[in-house]
Amino acid sequence: MAKAPKIVISHRLHDDGMAVLEKAGAEVVIVGSGEPQDMLPHLKDADGVIIRIGSIDKETMLACPNLKAIGRPGVGVDSVDVAGATELGIPVVIAPGANTRSVAEHAMAMIFACAKNMLVCDQEMRKGNFGIRSEYKAYELYGKTLGLIGCGHIGKILAELATGIGMKVLVYDPYLKEDVVQGWGYGYRASMEDILKEADAVSVHTPLTPATKDMIGEKELHLMKPTAILVNCARGGIINEPALCKALSEKWIQAAATDVVVQEPIRTDDPLFKLENIIVTPHMAGQTKEAASGVATLAAEGVLAVCRGEKWDKVCNPDAYKHARWGEQ
């Protein structure tokens, strides 16, 4: 009988994902940290690792000769040295589609909350300020324009939600052709700057890469309407945080909402928390009951499959299968 795989997890998965590992008889170690130095003592003889929050670099992988699979319960892999993993023949398992709708709905909820000035009004009501109702900062979304920066699976669902309430949708995505976007019934813009100038609400849906880091800074924020809303449910670092703080405090834009920040978990004294016109949530857009179950299950199933020697298809680096450890293809 084959030895049960040892799977190290940075933080406990949703119960459904844990059940998959338990059913497989895997030896599971939950570290409670995603820092490489904390995980390494447990990883040295591990077959697989699943990182909910944290990172792993090539140096750590090299110190773990038995490591066969890296799992991410989601689709973001900016915290994983994917190039290093590919070079070593280690597939990086992801969970595409499992949290797509949850993130899109979260972004839509943020747009609504900002447009209706809900956070500020709630805070003022708690102070006894019923008169906040007469400031008339809230506005209708019907007939307004949603600008999408990136329109993959999440962006497409958000576009459908926005269209359903009567919003117009504009898309900027360098990986999409104009005729495709127009075929969906949306407007196409060849530059991000055009989206920022025209949209009443802008939602960011791109990965964090060297090309997208600080993609929206002071120059870009100055292009937006003073009544505009900026939403980020993608990755911290795409929007330059000091620039965003300045834009919000000086009222270049009306409001912002972000589910992600550069440093997670965010410090309680972070400058963002000094602003009343921003909503900050704890990277939870993809953490609904349904999504958490889906991503945890897919990550667990994929890591186990790879540890058994199967070529699981839901990986971000299929070239890893070309490594000698998998046999030349």
Side-chain angles (χ1 to χ4, degrees), residues 163-199:
T163 302
I165 61 167
M167 294 187 78
K168 302 171 186 176
V169 176
L170 297 178
V171 172
Y172 163 70
D173 190 321
Y175 298 100
L176 291 174
K177 293 183 179 179
E178 183 173 359
D179 60 340
V180 172
V181 173
Q182 290 180 340
W184 294 337
Y186 309 135
Y188 175 86
R189 294 295 181 268
S191 75
M192 180 180 71
E193 288 73 17
D194 287 340
I195 293 286
L196 295 171
K197 290 176 184 176
E198 297 180 51

Side-chain angles (χ1 to χ4, degrees), residues 35 42 60 62 67 136 144 154 174 190 218 233-234 238 257 278 300 320 322 327:
E35 295 297 323
H42 309 282
T60 302
L62 286 169
L67 192 63
Y136 304 114
K144 300 297 192 298
I154 295 170
E218 286 194 24
C233 287
I238 296 172
I278 185 170
K322 296 179 181 179

Side-chain angles (χ1 to χ4, degrees), residues 188-265:
Y188 175 86
R189 294 295 181 268
S191 75
M192 180 180 71
E193 288 73 17
D194 287 340
I195 293 286
L196 295 171
K197 290 176 184 176
E198 297 180 51
D200 298 291
V202 175
S203 192
V204 177
H205 299 281
T206 68
L208 178 62
T209 68
T212 62
K213 187 178 187 300
D214 292 326
M215 182 170 67
I216 298 177
E218 286 194 24
K219 176 184 174 184
E220 291 75 21
L221 288 162
H222 266 301
L223 298 174
M224 299 180 70
K225 298 177 181 180
T227 54
I229 295 164
L230 179 60
V231 172
N232 184 8
C233 287
R235 280 291 183 271
I238 296 172
I239 300 171
N240 181 276
E241 288 177 6
L244 180 61
C245 285
K246 189 173 183 181
L248 290 168
S249 63
E250 297 182 8
K251 304 296 191 292
W252 303 351
I253 61 176
Q254 178 160 311
T258 185
D259 186 50
V260 289
V261 291
V262 173
Q263 185 62 49
E264 295 181 352

Side-chain angles (χ1 to χ4, degrees), residues 123-136:
Q123 293 170 345
E124 289 302 308
M125 280 285 287
R126 293 168 189 269
K127 300 173 187 175
N129 180 13
F130 192 74
I132 189 70
R133 67 194 291 268
S134 298
E135 286 199 357
Y136 304 114

Side-chain angles (χ1 to χ4, degrees), residues 4-5 15-28 297 300-301 304 308:
D15 287 349
D16 292 346
M18 297 303 296
V20 170
L21 297 174
E22 181 180 349
K23 184 177 179 181
E27 177 190 348
V28 178
T297 299
E301 290 176 344
L304 288 171
R308 291 192 300 264

Side-chain angles (χ1 to χ4, degrees), residues 95-118:
N99 62 4
T100 301
R101 179 160 293 278
S102 292
V103 177
E105 288 185 1
H106 196 90
M108 191 73 244
M110 284 181 149
I111 293 170
F112 265 112
C114 287
K116 305 306 177 183
N117 201 30
M118 285 184 175

Side-chain angles (χ1 to χ4, degrees), residues 67-71 85-86 88-93 303 306 310-312 315-318 320-321 325-326:
L67 192 63
K68 302 174 182 68
I70 297 169
T86 304
L88 296 172
I90 303 173
V92 179
V93 174
V303 167
V306 173
E310 299 174 22
K311 292 183 178 178
W312 186 256
V315 299
C316 71
N317 60 337
Y321 294 130
R325 71 194 297 180
W326 289 94

